[in-house]
Amino acid sequence: MTAPLHEARPPGAGRALPDTQQGMRRRNLARVLHAVSAEGSLSRAAVASRIGLTRAAVSTLVDELIRWGLLEELGPERPGRVGRPGSALAVSGRGPAGIGAEIGVDHLAVCAVDLRGEVRARAVRHTANRGRAPGPAVEELTELVRRVVAEAEREALWPAGLAVAVPGLVARDGRTVVRAPNLDWHDTDLGALLPGDWPLTVDNEANYGALAELWLGDGTPRDFLHVSAEIGIGAAVVVGGGLLRGTRGFAGELGHVPVRPDGPLCPCGGRGCLEQYAGEEAVLRAAGLEPREDPVGLLAGRADQGDESVRAALRDAGTALGIALTGAVNLLDPETVVLGGALAGLSPWLLPSLETELTSRTAGPPCPVTVSRLGPEGPLLGAAHSVVRGVLDDPAVVAERP
Amino acid sequence: MTAPLHEARPPGAGRALPDTQQGMRRRNLARVLHAVSAEGSLSRAAVASRIGLTRAAVSTLVDELIRWGLLEELGPERPGRVGRPGSALAVSGRGPAGIGAEIGVDHLAVCAVDLRGEVRARAVRHTANRGRAPGPAVEELTELVRRVVAEAEREALWPAGLAVAVPGLVARDGRTVVRAPNLDWHDTDLGALLPGDWPLTVDNEANYGALAELWLGDGTPRDFLHVSAEIGIGAAVVVGGGLLRGTRGFAGELGHVPVRPDGPLCPCGGRGCLEQYAGEEAVLRAAGLEPREDPVGLLAGRADQGDESVRAALRDAGTALGIALTGAVNLLDPETVVLGGALAGLSPWLLPSLETELTSRTAGPPCPVTVSRLGPEGPLLGAAHSVVRGVLDDPAVVAERP
C-alpha cells in the first residue's frame, strides 16, 4: 500500500495528527491560529465563536500560541464593535518564516515569507541552468538561501523550513529529482546537496504553482486544474484543497497526454503529446523562430506587435491545449481550469482557440478557464507558503524546535 | 465553495465527525468494529493492541457495539494462541444490512449484504429499460426491494439503507439522475420515486463498481482507475481509498476523452471520443453486427470462435482505450488500471492492443492493467457494501435509528 495520492489539508482538520487528547489539542491550536490568520485580527471571544470552543478553552490555547511567538496582542480592540472590548490578536510578523527557493531553467530565486504571508526577503539570480551539473547549481542556490535567511534573521524571523521548486518530476520522498529534462538532471538527490540546517521539501514547480493559486488566488475554488508552462507543460490537480500527487508523485503530466495519437514522436516515447503542439519549443518552431532565452517574452512581444505567424502558432497551441483539457475535464470534473506560470502571459492569444475547443467538445456548460494573477511568481511563493502552512496547520511543531 | 471532490474514508479516521470527545468516541467505535471486521474474529486484547487503545477503553467500546447488535461473542478463543484465552469477538451476521439495487439497461437487481459482507438475499429481473419511463421502472424495482428486504428480515436483518446504481450521471445530491442516455432519463429525481423507508443514495454504476473493487478486489490498491462498460464507457477514479467525484459529481467520463480529435461526431458534442471507438455500439458496428441484447455476450462468443472481424474490432477498441488511458495515467499516476464491468469479459481481446499502446506511449515503466474478478456483479455489490461501510465507518448511527 502506498501513501495516499492526495494531500488534503483543511485547516486543522483531517490532519494526520493522532486521535488522542494530545492530537485534539494540537488540532485546536491549529484552528485558533488559522482563525486569526484568516481574519487578520480577532478577539479571543470572536475566535471562540468562530471555531466552536469555549472562551476559556480558547484562552489557554491563545496563551500557548503567544508563548511560542506565533500570536501577538494588538491591545484593546478598536471602538465601534459591539460588546465589551477585548484585546485583539494577530498573527506574529516575527517568529517562523517559510523559505522558498526555485531552480528554473534560466534563473535561481529564493524568498522568505512570514506567518502573515508577507515576503520579507528575496534574492534572484539569472543564470543558465540547462545542462548544468546539479552540484554547482545547488551551491549557488545555497548561497542565495543563506543570504535570504540572514536578512530574515535580522528581522527576528527564523527559518521553519526550506521548500525548493524544480522543473521536473520529484519522487514521493520529497527530495529526489527523478527527471528534469530541461535541466538534464536524472535521479538527483537534492537532499544530499542542500544544507541540512532546516526541514527540507523538494517538489515540482507546477505543484507549488497550484498551491500558491489555492492559497493566494482571488476566489480560487478548492477543486481546480492548474496548468503551467515554463519549457515543458505541467499541470497540478487540486482536489478538496489538496494536491493529487499520484502513486509515484508524477500526477499532472498534461504535457504527455496524447492530442493526436499519430502525431510527431515525443522524447517521452509517445506520439502527438500535447508538448509537441503547445510546448514552448514547438510553438517557436511553428512560428519560425529560433529557441532563445525568455521564449515567452519573445512570443508575447511578437504576438502583441501583430506578428501573424506567431499568433497562428499560439492559436494552434490553444487548440491542442483545448483538446487535452477536454479529456482532463471529462476525467476530473474540476470547478475551473487555471492557466498559470508562463502560460498566463500568453493567455490573450491562447485562450480563444482553447475555449472554442473546450466548448464545442462539451455537451453541458463548459468548465470555465481563468488566468492566474500570480503568473511566473507562483512556484516560488507556493514553496515559501507551503512551509508557512505547515506551521499554521500544526503550530506545535514550533515547540519541538531544537 | 463546493463539497470536496473526493470522499476518502480511511477506517474510522478522517471522517467528518466533529473533533470533540463525542466525535473521538464515535471514531474509536469505528476503529474497533473495523478491526474485528478485517480479521473475522479477534479478542478484546488483540483489538486493543491493533488500534492502540487500552484494554479497558476497548472493553467499554466493545460492550456498546454488542449492545447495538453489531458485534457478538464467539466464546473462548480457539487453543493454540499465545497468552491467556479471551473471548473472541465477531461482527454480527444479524442486525443491519445494506440493500443494494441496480437499474441496468436490460435488467433490475437487488441484494442484501450483512455486516460480514455476505449476500443474504437477492432478486434479479430481466426487463428492457431503454426508453422506459422512470415511474414504472422504479415501481418494479421497488417491488424487488421489498421482496429482498422481507427475506432479509426473516433472517433477523434490518435495512440500514438503500443504495441504487444507475447507468448515468448522478448529481451530488445523491438522488437526481442528471443524464442516463441509455435509459433516456434526464433530470430524474429518483428520491421522489423510491420508497422513503430507509436512507437512500443513488450513484453512478461505475462509481459503485470501483468501490466494490476497492473493498472486495484481490489485493486492489487504494489508488486506481476503474474502467467499466455496459453500453457506454465509464471510469471511476479512486484516490487514497475514496472516490474522486468531481465538482458536479461527473468525474470519470473516460468515454468522452478525445482519442482522435477529428474523428466522428459524438452525441456529447465532441468528436472522436473514446466511445466512438470502444463503446459497445461502435464495436458492433465495426464488426458488422446489429445491436441486440447482451452485445458483450455476442462479441465474446464470436471472438472466442475465432471471428476475425470481431477480433479486429476489439483490437481497435483496445487501441483506442490505450490512447485514452495513456492520457488518464499521465494525469492521475494511478497504481493500476482495473478493467471491470462488461469490459472484464472482453479483456482477452482488448488487453493486448491496449497494453501495446500504453507501453509504447510511456517512457517509464507502464501502469499495470488488471481485470476485475467481480465483472458485471461489481455495481450491485458496491451499492450494498456502501451501506455496510457506512455502518462500519460510524457504528453510532445504529443507535440513532428511530
Side-chain angles (χ1 to χ4, degrees):
Chain A
M1 199 143 70
T2 56
L5 279 182
H6 62 103
E7 197 184 294
R9 286 193 178 174
R15 303 241 22 246
L17 293 173
D19 204 0
T20 56
Q21 295 287 349
Q22 183 60 14
M24 206 157 87
R25 185 170 155 280
R26 288 178 82 139
R27 284 192 294 271
N28 283 332
L29 284 163
R31 285 194 179 95
V32 172
L33 193 54
H34 267 289
V36 179
S37 168
E39 294 298 323
S41 86
L42 219 53
S43 69
R44 283 170 173 77
V47 172
S49 89
R50 213 146 299 210
I51 67 176
L53 290 180
T54 66
R55 172 78 198 260
V58 165
S59 271
T60 314
L61 297 165
V62 163
D63 291 345
E64 188 84 294
L65 292 168
I66 291 175
R67 193 156 49 245
W68 291 340
L70 304 179
L71 285 183
E72 56 188 43
E73 310 240 23
L74 293 181
E77 275 199 303
R78 298 184 301 283
R81 299 276 178 107
V82 175
R84 198 160 57 91
S87 173
L89 300 162
V91 171
S92 174
R94 297 189 285 179
I99 311 298
E102 187 182 13
I103 302 175
V105 173
D106 53 14
H107 73 287
L108 298 169
V110 180
C111 76
V113 168
D114 67 20
L115 271 197
R116 292 173 174 173
E118 280 167 33
V119 176
R120 301 286 292 277
R122 197 183 154 85
V124 180
R125 189 172 293 170
H126 291 275
T127 143
N129 295 319
R130 193 192 281 266
R132 193 179 181 195
V138 172
E139 203 171 308
E140 198 173 348
L141 183 75
T142 301
E143 192 196 315
L144 297 185
V145 168
R146 297 216 179 275
R147 198 193 304 166
V148 164
V149 166
E151 199 177 325
E153 283 173 345
R154 278 195 296 275
E155 303 201 34
L157 292 163
W158 56 268
L162 170 62
V164 184
V166 295
L169 297 177
V170 177
R172 291 204 62 131
D173 65 1
R175 46 184 285 163
T176 306
V177 178
V178 176
R179 197 160 71 230
N182 295 308
L183 298 173
D184 203 19
W185 293 3
H186 299 271
D187 301 308
T188 305
D189 178 3
L190 288 191
L193 298 173
L194 283 156
D197 311 33
W198 318 288
L200 170 73
T201 314
V202 179
D203 203 348
N204 178 271
E205 58 170 14
N207 283 344
Y208 280 134
L211 290 173
E213 191 60 33
L214 174 71
W215 295 327
L216 310 173
D218 249 350
T220 306
R222 289 169 59 77
D223 301 306
F224 63 99
L225 182 66
H226 185 263
V227 185
S228 59
E230 301 297 320
I231 304 295
I233 292 178
V237 183
V238 176
V239 176
L243 279 175
L244 189 149
R245 292 189 171 276
T247 298
R248 298 164 301 174
F250 297 175
E253 280 282 272
L254 188 74
H256 299 286
V257 167
V259 167
R260 298 185 188 276
D262 306 318
L265 259 175
C266 177
C268 82
R271 272 192 177 280
C273 298
L274 176 61
E275 265 184 30
Q276 296 301 309
Y277 301 95
E280 276 176 9
E281 282 171 16
V283 176
L284 288 172
R285 208 167 40 235
L289 299 171
E290 290 294 311
R292 45 156 258 186
E293 266 191 30
D294 189 20
V296 169
L298 172 67
L299 290 169
R302 293 281 182 103
D304 206 24
Q305 288 154 24
D307 182 327
E308 193 40 49
S309 67
V310 167
R311 289 190 172 188
L314 289 171
R315 219 160 29 231
D316 291 349
T319 299
L321 271 164
I323 294 167
L325 285 172
T326 299
V329 165
N330 270 308
L331 275 172
L332 299 166
D333 185 21
E335 197 167 335
T336 58
V337 170
V338 181
L339 297 188
L343 282 184
L346 294 172
S347 61
W349 303 284
L350 293 170
L351 260 186
S353 54
L354 191 168
E355 287 183 327
T356 298
E357 212 60 39
L358 205 53
T359 307
S360 73
R361 291 183 183 275
T362 319
C367 181
V369 181
T370 61
V371 177
S372 169
R373 213 172 35 80
L374 304 169
E377 287 292 283
L380 181 65
L381 290 175
H385 276 267
S386 72
V387 176
V388 169
R389 300 289 295 204
V391 177
L392 294 176
D393 285 347
D394 188 13
V397 291
V398 164
E400 291 158 5
R401 186 185 169 208
Chain B
M1 197 144 68
T2 57
L5 279 182
H6 63 102
E7 197 184 293
R9 288 194 177 173
R15 302 240 24 246
L17 294 172
D19 205 1
T20 56
Q21 294 287 347
Q22 183 59 14
M24 205 158 86
R25 184 170 155 282
R26 287 177 84 137
R27 284 192 294 271
N28 283 332
L29 284 163
R31 286 194 179 94
V32 171
L33 193 55
H34 266 289
V36 178
S37 167
E39 294 298 323
S41 85
L42 218 54
S43 69
R44 285 169 171 79
V47 171
S49 90
R50 213 148 298 209
I51 67 176
L53 290 179
T54 64
R55 172 77 200 260
V58 165
S59 272
T60 313
L61 297 165
V62 163
D63 291 345
E64 189 84 294
L65 292 168
I66 290 176
R67 192 157 49 243
W68 290 342
L70 303 180
L71 284 184
E72 56 187 43
E73 310 240 22
L74 294 181
E77 274 199 303
R78 297 185 299 284
R81 298 275 179 108
V82 176
R84 200 158 58 89
S87 173
L89 300 162
V91 170
S92 173
R94 297 189 286 180
I99 311 298
E102 187 181 13
I103 302 174
V105 174
D106 52 14
H107 73 288
L108 299 169
V110 180
C111 75
V113 167
D114 67 20
L115 270 197
R116 291 174 175 173
E118 280 167 33
V119 176
R120 300 287 292 278
R122 198 183 155 85
V124 180
R125 189 173 294 170
H126 290 277
T127 144
N129 296 318
R130 192 192 283 265
R132 193 178 182 194
V138 171
E139 202 171 308
E140 197 173 350
L141 184 74
T142 301
E143 191 197 316
L144 297 185
V145 168
R146 297 219 180 271
R147 197 192 304 166
V148 163
V149 166
E151 198 178 327
E153 283 174 345
R154 280 195 295 276
E155 303 201 33
L157 293 163
W158 56 268
L162 170 63
V164 184
V166 294
L169 297 177
V170 177
R172 292 204 62 131
D173 65 2
R175 47 184 281 165
T176 306
V177 178
V178 176
R179 196 161 71 229
N182 296 307
L183 298 174
D184 202 19
W185 292 3
H186 299 271
D187 301 309
T188 305
D189 178 3
L190 288 190
L193 298 173
L194 283 157
D197 312 30
W198 319 286
L200 170 73
T201 315
V202 179
D203 203 351
N204 179 271
E205 57 170 15
N207 283 344
Y208 280 134
L211 290 174
E213 190 60 32
L214 174 71
W215 295 328
L216 310 173
D218 249 351
T220 306
R222 288 169 58 80
D223 302 305
F224 63 98
L225 183 66
H226 186 262
V227 186
S228 59
E230 303 298 319
I231 304 293
I233 293 179
V237 183
V238 176
V239 175
L243 279 176
L244 189 149
R245 292 190 171 277
T247 298
R248 297 165 301 174
F250 298 175
E253 281 281 272
L254 187 75
H256 299 285
V257 167
V259 166
R260 298 186 188 276
D262 305 317
L265 260 176
C266 178
C268 83
R271 272 190 178 280
C273 299
L274 176 61
E275 267 183 27
Q276 296 302 309
Y277 301 95
E280 276 175 8
E281 282 172 15
V283 176
L284 288 172
R285 209 166 40 235
L289 299 171
E290 290 294 312
R292 43 156 259 186
E293 266 191 32
D294 188 21
V296 169
L298 172 69
L299 290 169
R302 294 280 182 105
D304 207 24
Q305 288 154 25
D307 183 327
E308 193 42 48
S309 67
V310 168
R311 289 192 174 187
L314 290 171
R315 219 161 28 231
D316 291 349
T319 299
L321 271 164
I323 293 167
L325 285 172
T326 298
V329 165
N330 270 308
L331 275 173
L332 300 166
D333 186 21
E335 197 167 334
T336 58
V337 171
V338 181
L339 297 188
L343 282 182
L346 294 171
S347 61
W349 303 284
L350 292 170
L351 261 186
S353 55
L354 190 168
E355 287 184 329
T356 298
E357 212 60 37
L358 204 53
T359 307
S360 73
R361 291 184 183 276
T362 320
C367 181
V369 181
T370 61
V371 176
S372 169
R373 214 172 34 80
L374 304 169
E377 287 292 284
L380 181 66
L381 290 174
H385 276 268
S386 72
V387 176
V388 169
R389 300 290 293 205
V391 176
L392 293 177
D393 286 348
D394 188 12
V397 290
V398 165
E400 291 158 4
R401 188 187 169 204

